[in-house]
């Protein structure tokens, strides 16, 4: 491509015009010879600056160019395309047309400019109706752009659309590795064959670092529950460490009690995106395009693709291609950018601590008769040393009732594990001695009338009044 092709339109036309009349400016014709010189130039053919086709110019046009550039300090600039004087001005619409068009837009913000024009022509008389270009320019000048209706026209979706149209959209990137991690689920386009002989569409959960685009972990599941989300996140944290913040959408799993509690215990700031705003998590959306276009495209020839095969292929693709391919925006591979830092990640705890973190805490009343509590329709036994507590706090995950802990309500410290009630084992009639919660007081001797009653009798006698009752004549 030549340098001429990179020139803007105004300069390419100006250079052509200057090349045509430049000889006349360098050697002006003698008086009375200008018209003949212009006719000679008009008879010649010239190449169009964009299409390359042959074209001619009238003598009157050449004369106008000649007089425009003859006394100009910059002849090429004088031969540029002139800007229209009405550029930037509002279209000349009558007050009646403006009022009708504004009202029509408020009622139907999703209409196109052509549809607004057609309906405005019916509302107004044909003689008073503005042209379609005038309607389109007026809508554009006033910022009355077309507002597309979301697929689910709920109140939340409409509010998100209105909020987005009033705010700027900017690309961003944090300054440190693992300062921000993105998380999202993707519904795959390819079905997998389950062990039950059913074809289902799997979901891919991915965790990507904002600065390096490094894919910390990705795994396919058949459900989008909190259990699968925590399972994938724990693997991502063990691979790269604890990030400072995590951005997710507002899916049910992302705002569940177990997930938010786990992020709180691990010291990770949760940054949920705005409702119906997938562009905020755009780095994830870009990743899904590569997954569909590269990963799943290479698995089209496998007729009976299983979930295990899909996960193995995914890990191989991430390690051998994604992390080693130069990112077009970064100019380096995600792996190199991750290692270059600077890194603000923290050390990840062990597997048991991670599983213990992603649990919710609930309050239950203890049944005094047998020292049990009810949890998700199942009863659990408390140690007898805690039988004096009327209300207890339990920490557990709803998908795993095998690990339930009794915690201190004031400090959150785990006191002891709580086991499910085993009625069959309790049927052997073996009972432990109840552990005392505090030392039992020693037995006291009979002290007679209580001190308070003695005081009331003395105060009553001090009034000098006789007892307010009639004694009987019965003898002992």
């Amino acid at each position: 491509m030549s340098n001429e092709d990179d020139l803007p339109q105004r300069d390419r036309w100006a250079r052509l015009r200057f090349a045509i009349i430049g000889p006349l400016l360098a050697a002006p014709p003698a008086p009375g010879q200008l018209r003949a010189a212009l006719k000679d130039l008009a008879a010649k053919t010239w190449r169009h600056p964009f299409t390359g086709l042959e074209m001619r110019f009238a003598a009157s046009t050449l004369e106008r160019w000649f007089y425009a550039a003859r006394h100009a300090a910059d002849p090429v600039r004088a031969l540029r395309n002139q800007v229209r004087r009405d550029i930037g001005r509002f279209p000349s619409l009558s007050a009646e047309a403006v009022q009708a068009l504004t009202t029509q837009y408020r009622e139907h913000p999703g209409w196109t400019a052509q549809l607004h024009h057609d309906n405005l022509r019916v509302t107004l008389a044909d003689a008073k109706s503005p042209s379609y270009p005038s309607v389109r320019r007026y809508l554009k000048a006033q910022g009355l752009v077309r507002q597309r209706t979301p697929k689910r026209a709920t109140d939340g979706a409409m509010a998100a659309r209105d909020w987005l149209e009033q705010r700027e959209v900017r690309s961003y990137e944090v300054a440190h590795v693992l300062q921000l991690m993105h998380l999202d689920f993707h519904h795959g386009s390819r079905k997998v064959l389950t062990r039950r002989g059913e074809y289902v569409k799997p979901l891919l959960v991915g965790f990507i670092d904002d600065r390096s685009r490094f894919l910390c972990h990705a795994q396919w599941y058949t459900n989008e529950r909190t259990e699968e989300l925590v399972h994938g996140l724990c693997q991502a944290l063990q691979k790269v460490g604890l990030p400072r913040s995590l951005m997710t959408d507002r899916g049910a799993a992302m705002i569940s009690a177990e997930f938010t509690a786990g992020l709180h215990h691990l010291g990770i700031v949760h940054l949920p995106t705005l409702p119906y705003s997938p562009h905020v998590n755009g780095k994830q959306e870009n990743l899904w395009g590569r997954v569909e276009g590269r990963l799943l495209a290479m698995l089209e020839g496998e007729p009976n693709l299983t979930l295990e095969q899909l996960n193995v292929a995914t890990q191989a693709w991430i390690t051998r291609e994604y992390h080693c391919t130069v990112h077009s925006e970064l100019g380096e591979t995600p792996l190199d950018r991750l290692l270059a830092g600077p890194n603000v990640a923290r050390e990840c705890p062990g597997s048991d601590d991670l599983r213990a973190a992603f649990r919710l805490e609930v309050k239950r009343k203890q049944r005094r008769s047998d020292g049990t509590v009810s949890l998700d329709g199942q009863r659990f036994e408390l140690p007898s040393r805690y039988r004096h507590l009327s209300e207890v706090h339990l920490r557990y995950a709803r998908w795993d009732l095998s690990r339930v802990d009794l915690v201190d309500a004031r400090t959150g410290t785990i006191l002891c594990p709580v086991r499910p009630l085993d009625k069959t084992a309790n049927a052997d009639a073996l009972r432990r001695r109840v552990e005392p919660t505090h030392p039992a007081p020693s037995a006291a001797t009979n002290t007679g009338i209580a001190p308070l009653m003695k005081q009331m009798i003395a105060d009553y006698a001090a009034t000098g009044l006789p007892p307010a009752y009639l004694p009987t004549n019965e003898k002992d």
Side-chain angles (χ1 to χ4, degrees), residues 296-322:
L296 295 183
M298 291 186 288
L299 298 174
E300 292 177 348
E302 178 57 45
N304 297 322
L305 183 65
T306 64
L307 188 64
E308 181 180 359
Q309 291 175 332
L310 182 57
N311 276 317
V312 171
T314 300
Q315 300 305 318
W317 175 76
I318 293 173
T319 305
R320 307 302 299 176
E321 178 177 302
Y322 178 81

Side-chain angles (χ1 to χ4, degrees), residues 319-392:
T319 305
R320 307 302 299 176
E321 178 177 302
Y322 178 81
H323 286 163
C324 301
T325 303
V326 176
H327 195 281
S328 58
E329 183 177 348
L330 302 179
E332 56 184 330
T333 66
L335 180 60
D336 291 340
R337 193 172 179 88
L338 176 76
L339 298 177
N343 197 316
V344 293
R346 293 169 293 133
E347 184 178 357
C348 180
S351 300
D352 292 338
D353 294 335
L354 285 177
R355 286 194 294 268
F358 291 95
R359 298 187 298 172
L360 60 88
E361 186 172 322
V362 296
K363 182 173 63 174
R364 292 291 185 269
K365 287 188 175 181
Q366 180 178 186
R367 191 161 66 177
R368 295 179 58 87
S369 60
D370 58 356
T372 61
V373 293
S374 178
L375 193 64
D376 285 0
Q378 187 173 348
R379 301 206 67 84
F380 288 78
E381 286 183 310
L382 298 177
S384 59
R385 61 181 178 274
Y386 298 109
R387 67 183 181 276
H388 62 286
L389 300 177
S390 59
E391 291 183 343
V392 296

Side-chain angles (χ1 to χ4, degrees), residues 410-450:
R410 294 169 295 183
T411 64
T413 305
I414 296 179
L415 301 176
C416 66
V418 179
R419 305 301 180 189
L421 176 62
D422 190 352
K423 295 183 178 181
T424 303
N426 293 340
D428 58 7
L430 295 178
R431 299 291 184 266
R432 298 186 182 93
R433 183 178 295 276
V434 175
E435 302 177 12
T437 57
H438 52 79
S442 58
T445 58
N446 190 1
T447 58
I449 300 177

Side-chain angles (χ1 to χ4, degrees), residues 31 61 176 241 471:
T61 302
H176 298 84

Side-chain angles (χ1 to χ4, degrees), residues 183-397:
L183 154 67
D184 197 11
F185 273 95
H186 170 66
H187 292 258
S189 60
R190 175 70 189 277
K191 291 184 177 181
V192 296
L193 182 63
T194 65
R195 295 180 178 179
R196 297 181 178 180
E198 301 173 347
Y199 284 99
V200 298
K201 280 192 174 181
L203 299 98
L204 176 64
V205 59
F207 308 87
I208 186 173
D209 175 54
D210 182 85
R211 175 172 173 78
S212 64
R213 312 300 198 275
F214 185 84
L215 190 52
C216 306
H217 183 67
Q219 188 167 347
W220 296 87
Y221 298 95
T222 56
N223 291 288
E224 191 179 353
R225 301 173 301 187
T226 310
E227 179 180 1
E228 286 77 16
L229 175 60
V230 171
H231 182 265
L233 177 59
C234 290
Q235 296 178 72
L237 300 181
Q238 289 177 321
K239 288 181 178 180
V240 299
L242 299 181
R244 296 293 177 174
S245 58
L246 181 66
M247 179 176 289
T248 71
D249 58 20
R250 297 179 181 268
M254 287 73 160
I255 61 175
S256 62
E258 290 92 343
F259 185 72
T260 54
L263 297 181
H264 173 74
H265 286 301
L266 296 175
I268 302 175
V269 180
H270 189 201
L271 302 176
T273 61
L274 298 172
Y276 307 98
S277 303
H279 64 279
V280 180
N281 215 1
K283 295 181 178 66
Q284 288 283 156
E285 301 299 328
N286 180 63
L287 173 63
W288 303 148
R290 298 183 62 177
V291 168
E292 293 289 341
R294 300 284 300 179
L295 172 62
L296 295 183
M298 291 186 288
L299 298 174
E300 292 177 348
E302 178 57 45
N304 297 322
L305 183 65
T306 64
L307 188 64
E308 181 180 359
Q309 291 175 332
L310 182 57
N311 276 317
V312 171
T314 300
Q315 300 305 318
W317 175 76
I318 293 173
T319 305
R320 307 302 299 176
E321 178 177 302
Y322 178 81
H323 286 163
C324 301
T325 303
V326 176
H327 195 281
S328 58
E329 183 177 348
L330 302 179
E332 56 184 330
T333 66
L335 180 60
D336 291 340
R337 193 172 179 88
L338 176 76
L339 298 177
N343 197 316
V344 293
R346 293 169 293 133
E347 184 178 357
C348 180
S351 300
D352 292 338
D353 294 335
L354 285 177
R355 286 194 294 268
F358 291 95
R359 298 187 298 172
L360 60 88
E361 186 172 322
V362 296
K363 182 173 63 174
R364 292 291 185 269
K365 287 188 175 181
Q366 180 178 186
R367 191 161 66 177
R368 295 179 58 87
S369 60
D370 58 356
T372 61
V373 293
S374 178
L375 193 64
D376 285 0
Q378 187 173 348
R379 301 206 67 84
F380 288 78
E381 286 183 310
L382 298 177
S384 59
R385 61 181 178 274
Y386 298 109
R387 67 183 181 276
H388 62 286
L389 300 177
S390 59
E391 291 183 343
V392 296
H393 285 245
L394 304 175
R395 188 175 296 165
Y396 78 108

Side-chain angles (χ1 to χ4, degrees), residues 37 55 64 94 102 113 121 136 151 154 172 193 204 220 388 396 402 412 421 462 472:
M55 58 185 306
R64 186 177 73 251
S94 63
T102 304
R121 188 175 55 188
R136 182 174 57 83
K151 295 181 179 179
T154 60
Y172 64 92
L193 182 63
L204 176 64
W220 296 87
H388 62 286
Y396 78 108
S402 64
L421 176 62
T472 62

